[in-house]
Amino acid sequence: MDWLLHGINELLSALATDIAHLFSPHWWRHHTVPLFNILMIDLTLAGDNAIVVGMAASRVEQSMRTKVIFWGILGAVVLRIIFSSVAQQMLQVIGLTLAGGILLLFVCWKMYKQIVEADTHSIHEVEKNLASSMPHPNATTFWGALWTIILADLSMSLDNVLAVAGAAGESTLVLVIGLAIAIVLMAVASNYIAKLLARYPWIAWIGLLIILYVALDMIYRDSHRIACLNYGVGCSESIWQGIKHRLGIGG
């Protein structure tokens, strides 16, 4: 438990230092692209939470469904805060950013299959099941439904925080803004986002491409950090800086 408290304290301490940047136009100009990337990542991943929570809640008695949805969303919020409190510190460890990038590539593969094969339950179908008073053929208890949501939230929260932390880079303030956006979208707009993604699948494609870029950038940056540590080359170079160097742009 000490590691969690230490991580939260580190996060709050770094945030207190960075909070003044909110009033700096230069900071906003410098972080516009990461913030846009985080917004698209959160939009793309928020819809899955609504579907998972709704599917689990539809399997319990109608009188308990609101309670399952509330605790399911609360659990997802808590998990995102826990993961965020340690993610940025862990990604500073050489080798872990590389591993995180590889894990995000797997997330991209899962998202690609979902988009191409439409391998997801319709949010309209989920809402219909939630509104139905008929017993679900695979009915379960309150705790059974909540356990299903928690297990799914573990994976989804890790995917979301890893992608957001990778996009945020070393800025704690950007990470916290990304976490706040994710929580708000998940808590108040996840159903709408799920419908939006179903109606406009190109949004999911943009989100997928951004997550793919973040994954490749994490792999590229940490590979350069490892090369820098061992061979003194490629120090502090992002994938975008590397592209500009190869093209002879920007010095």
Side-chain angles (χ1 to χ4, degrees):
M1 199 65 182
D2 289 341
W3 61 269
L4 177 58
L5 293 175
H6 176 72
I8 292 175
N9 286 334
E10 287 282 331
L11 189 68
L12 292 176
S13 176
L15 179 61
T17 304
D18 291 347
I19 199 73
H21 294 316
L22 283 175
F23 304 99
S24 167
H26 173 74
W27 185 91
W28 284 100
R29 284 195 300 270
H30 183 69
H31 292 93
T32 297
V33 173
L35 287 169
F36 173 77
N37 289 345
I38 287 171
L39 175 61
M40 292 305 301
I41 289 169
D42 286 338
L43 273 174
T44 306
L45 298 178
D48 287 344
N49 194 80
I51 292 173
V52 168
V53 172
M55 285 176 59
S58 68
R59 294 174 57 198
V60 302
E61 294 179 11
Q62 194 172 26
S63 60
M64 292 191 295
R65 288 173 186 173
T66 302
K67 189 186 296 185
V68 169
I69 291 171
F70 171 79
W71 286 107
I73 292 175
L74 181 62
V77 169
V78 171
L79 285 171
R80 277 163 172 76
I81 293 173
I82 290 173
F83 284 141
S84 294
S85 68
V86 296
Q88 204 166 39
Q89 285 75 26
M90 290 185 67
L91 290 181
Q92 300 308 310
V93 178
I94 292 179
L96 287 184
T97 300
L98 176 62
I102 293 171
L103 179 58
L104 273 186
L105 286 180
F106 178 66
V107 173
C108 290
W109 172 245
K110 290 193 301 181
M111 287 181 61
Y112 172 78
K113 288 184 67 178
Q114 287 178 349
I115 295 171
V116 172
E117 301 174 5
D119 188 23
T120 56
H121 292 263
S122 165
I123 185 64
H124 300 289
E125 177 187 345
V126 172
E127 287 185 332
K128 181 180 177 181
N129 290 337
L130 280 173
S132 174
S133 58
M134 299 293 291
H136 195 281
N138 297 312
T140 186
T141 63
F142 170 82
W143 290 109
L146 197 58
W147 182 243
T148 299
I149 293 171
I150 289 172
L151 289 178
D153 277 342
L154 278 171
S155 173
M156 291 189 296
S157 297
L158 179 60
D159 294 349
N160 182 271
V161 170
L162 191 57
V164 168
E170 297 182 1
S171 174
T172 302
L173 185 56
V174 173
L175 174 64
V176 171
I177 291 173
L179 173 64
I181 293 172
I183 289 174
V184 170
L185 291 179
M186 183 178 57
V188 303
S190 55
N191 276 31
Y192 174 74
I193 291 169
K195 294 175 184 176
L196 191 68
L197 293 173
R199 186 173 181 182
Y200 302 108
W202 58 266
I203 299 176
W205 281 108
I206 293 176
L208 171 60
L209 290 174
I210 290 173
I211 295 174
L212 178 61
Y213 171 80
V214 170
L216 294 176
D217 184 55
M218 290 170 69
I219 293 170
Y220 188 89
R221 277 190 287 120
D222 214 32
S223 298
H224 273 254
R225 283 204 295 176
I226 293 170
C228 177
L229 181 66
N230 292 288
Y231 307 108
V233 296
C235 301
S236 302
E237 188 174 72
S238 69
I239 192 170
W240 178 240
Q241 290 171 327
I243 292 171
K244 290 197 296 183
H245 284 178
R246 271 67 176 175
L247 295 175
I249 302 172

